Amino acid sequence: MISKLIRIAAKPAPQTFNAIRENMQQARHELQEQFDNLGVEVAENMIKTEARIMPTPTIEYGNTSINNVMNGTWSPQRFVRPQNITNWGCCIVTRRPHRDAENIVSRAIDTLYQSARQLGIELSYPAYDSMPNVVNPNQLQEYLEFCEKENFELVLVVLDSKNSEEYSKTKFIAERLSGGILTQCVLMNTLKKINNQSAQMILMKINAKLGGLNAQVDLKLFQAGNGGALFSHGFPVMIQGILLVFTGFNHRCSRCTFGARFFIGVKKFYRT
């Protein structure tokens, strides 16, 4: 889905302009009668508006500020409000158990533990020594209900592959059939190659889901009355961006994912 969106959005500007103009001409021809009935007039040509390039905002973390964001990426620092994770579970959802699967996940948990300390999160090891548990998809509801009774703050669910059915089933059970328990799904292939950067990406998602605050942007740029503000007229503004999917392990935190990682208590939604 994202690749299709990018292919459409990344077309050269003249090509996009011509396509919009042709579509509008066709729509005007097909809808002219309705326009006339409503008294609506549609201009022949598009309007021209002034565009501005946003200056790079300052990213504020718990112990530092980052001013040199390069190409939309930066390295995460200690979170503004880290959420400790002291009672949690982990399972491997699979129909074909791997011989070394449990060792792979255990090593990944070690990496998460080390990365969590860097970000200010107190991360304990899973609640039971037997974890990660290997769970057949047919047993997933029973397992998550057990986790709910144990009052787990989170369940790390390891999936075999990008199987949308098993992912959807996990989320459906966790959020609807049970009383509600937070889950973080991750692919087995991701854990096989996990390093500090990919571990931090996972922890950013987890911390936001638990109500923590990873970082914050200096929003002086958006304040009405500020002489250098991007929008100086006091009108409500929404800034929107594509939520990128990370396909490798050399990516760092992006502005798009930063802006989208708010799940609890959201009142305003800023994306850069």
Side-chain angles (χ1 to χ4, degrees):
M1 181 62 71
I2 296 297
S3 60
K4 291 180 180 179
L5 177 61
I6 292 175
R7 278 196 293 271
I8 294 173
K11 291 180 180 178
Q15 184 177 345
T16 302
F17 176 84
N18 290 332
I20 294 173
R21 181 172 57 185
E22 291 171 4
N23 290 338
M24 193 60 205
Q25 288 174 349
Q26 181 179 351
R28 184 187 294 110
H29 176 74
E30 295 175 352
L31 300 174
Q32 190 60 54
E33 184 177 349
Q34 286 90 330
F35 288 156
D36 292 341
N37 291 336
L38 294 171
V40 174
E41 295 182 4
V42 180
E44 292 285 336
N45 300 315
M46 298 184 196
I47 64 171
K48 294 183 179 180
T49 60
E50 180 183 355
R52 294 181 58 183
I53 298 176
M54 290 180 60
T56 303
T58 298
I59 311 300
E60 299 174 350
Y61 278 91
N63 56 356
T64 187
S65 296
I66 298 177
N67 300 298
N68 58 339
V69 175
M70 300 296 293
N71 298 322
T73 66
W74 65 92
S75 296
Q77 304 296 317
R78 183 182 178 89
F79 291 157
V80 173
R81 188 171 66 245
Q83 291 294 109
N84 296 332
I85 310 167
T86 57
N87 185 33
W88 63 287
C90 178
C91 68
I92 304 168
V93 180
T94 180
R95 298 182 187 277
R96 302 177 303 277
H98 304 286
R99 183 177 60 181
D100 199 37
E102 294 175 56
N103 290 331
I104 291 171
V105 176
S106 295
R107 288 193 295 268
I109 290 173
D110 288 336
T111 304
L112 288 169
Y113 177 82
Q114 296 297 329
S115 298
R117 295 181 63 184
Q118 298 172 13
L119 300 175
I121 296 175
E122 181 184 329
L123 175 66
S124 301
Y125 279 87
Y128 292 94
D129 293 337
S130 59
M131 294 180 174
N133 305 116
V134 178
V135 178
N136 186 284
N138 296 329
Q139 301 171 318
L140 185 57
Q141 180 173 346
E142 180 182 354
Y143 182 80
L144 290 177
E145 287 175 349
F146 161 78
C147 294
E148 182 190 2
K149 291 178 182 178
E150 293 291 313
N151 294 316
F152 286 172
E153 299 157 324
L154 176 85
V155 180
L156 184 67
V157 180
V158 183
L159 301 175
D160 258 342
S161 61
K162 292 182 178 180
N163 185 322
S164 58
E165 180 180 351
E166 291 186 0
Y167 172 82
S168 299
K169 182 178 180 180
T170 300
K171 293 299 183 180
F172 181 84
I173 294 172
E175 298 170 8
R176 298 197 179 191
L177 296 187
S178 70
I181 186 167
L182 288 175
T183 58
Q184 177 60 51
C185 294
V186 63
L187 295 177
M188 177 63 75
N189 283 338
T190 300
L191 298 187
K192 286 180 181 178
K193 305 173 184 178
I194 195 168
N195 57 21
N196 185 49
Q197 289 180 350
S198 53
Q200 288 179 340
M201 292 296 110
I202 295 171
L203 290 165
M204 286 174 63
K205 296 178 181 181
I206 291 174
N207 192 60
K209 288 180 179 181
L210 291 172
L213 179 61
N214 300 342
Q216 53 193 4
V217 178
D218 184 353
L219 296 177
K220 291 178 182 177
L221 181 68
F222 304 96
Q223 294 175 358
N226 181 0
L230 181 63
F231 308 107
S232 56
H233 300 293
F235 298 118
V237 174
M238 174 180 286
I239 301 176
Q240 199 161 6
I242 297 174
L243 175 58
L244 299 178
V245 174
F246 289 88
T247 56
F249 295 94
N250 294 321
H251 296 84
R252 296 183 291 173
C253 176
S254 84
R255 282 178 288 181
C256 294
T257 54
F258 170 82
R261 298 303 180 201
F262 294 89
F263 291 83
I264 296 177
V266 177
K267 294 183 179 178
K268 294 185 179 179
F269 205 94
Y270 292 99
R271 288 193 182 187
T272 55

